[in-house]
Amino acid sequence: MSSAPRPPHSQLHYRSKSTIQSKAPWKSKLSPRNSRDPPRLDRIHPRQYHLPLPPPTATQAPRPSIPPYTKPSYDWLLSNLHNPYPSRDTRDAISRTSAAARKDVDSWFTDARRRIGWNDARRSYFSNKRAEMVRAASRFYDGGGGKVYLSQDAEYALVSIAKRAQGLYCDKFGET
């Protein structure tokens, strides 16, 4: 059993990018056709092959799972579900206490309103009028101001908003 002579490095063939993407991502795309030895990696640009990232070392600080402004923002949202639009002073206070940029806090509230379904309900049942929805939600959640005359769909939307808001971060901060 004699082995065939190995061709020079310049004659080794590599798989094309299109065949690489269809294969499993953990397999190297640097497998030569006519050789059992892997090619020399020092001659190939690092962007031509994908290597897994090394695990974080003890000197690298792990990224926090949630930003520091999330807890105070979430608490404020739950206590003000009838009007989830904090004032400028409230948003400034949250950003100051959490040492975060105000635009991050603003983005969090915008995203939270979208995630709990506030925007969809406002568009669907309140003619996209913020004041009408805040008025109806204040009467519905607080129970004050007399009977609220809402359609069953609008009431269901407000109940769903409260449920989604309570479940938004319950896995991070515990049951609410």
Side-chain angles (χ1 to χ4, degrees), residues 65-77:
S65 59
I66 54 173
Y69 55 82
T70 303
K71 176 75 170 136
S73 300
Y74 178 61
D75 291 340
W76 188 93
L77 178 71

Side-chain angles (χ1 to χ4, degrees), residues 80-84 118 126 130-144 148 150 158 161:
N80 296 285
L81 197 55
H82 60 280
N83 185 6
W118 181 271
F126 299 97
R130 175 178 162 178
E132 286 181 25
M133 177 136 182
V134 168
R135 190 172 24 258
S138 295
R139 289 184 187 147
F140 184 79
Y141 291 130
D142 295 338
V148 180
L150 296 172
L158 290 172
I161 286 170

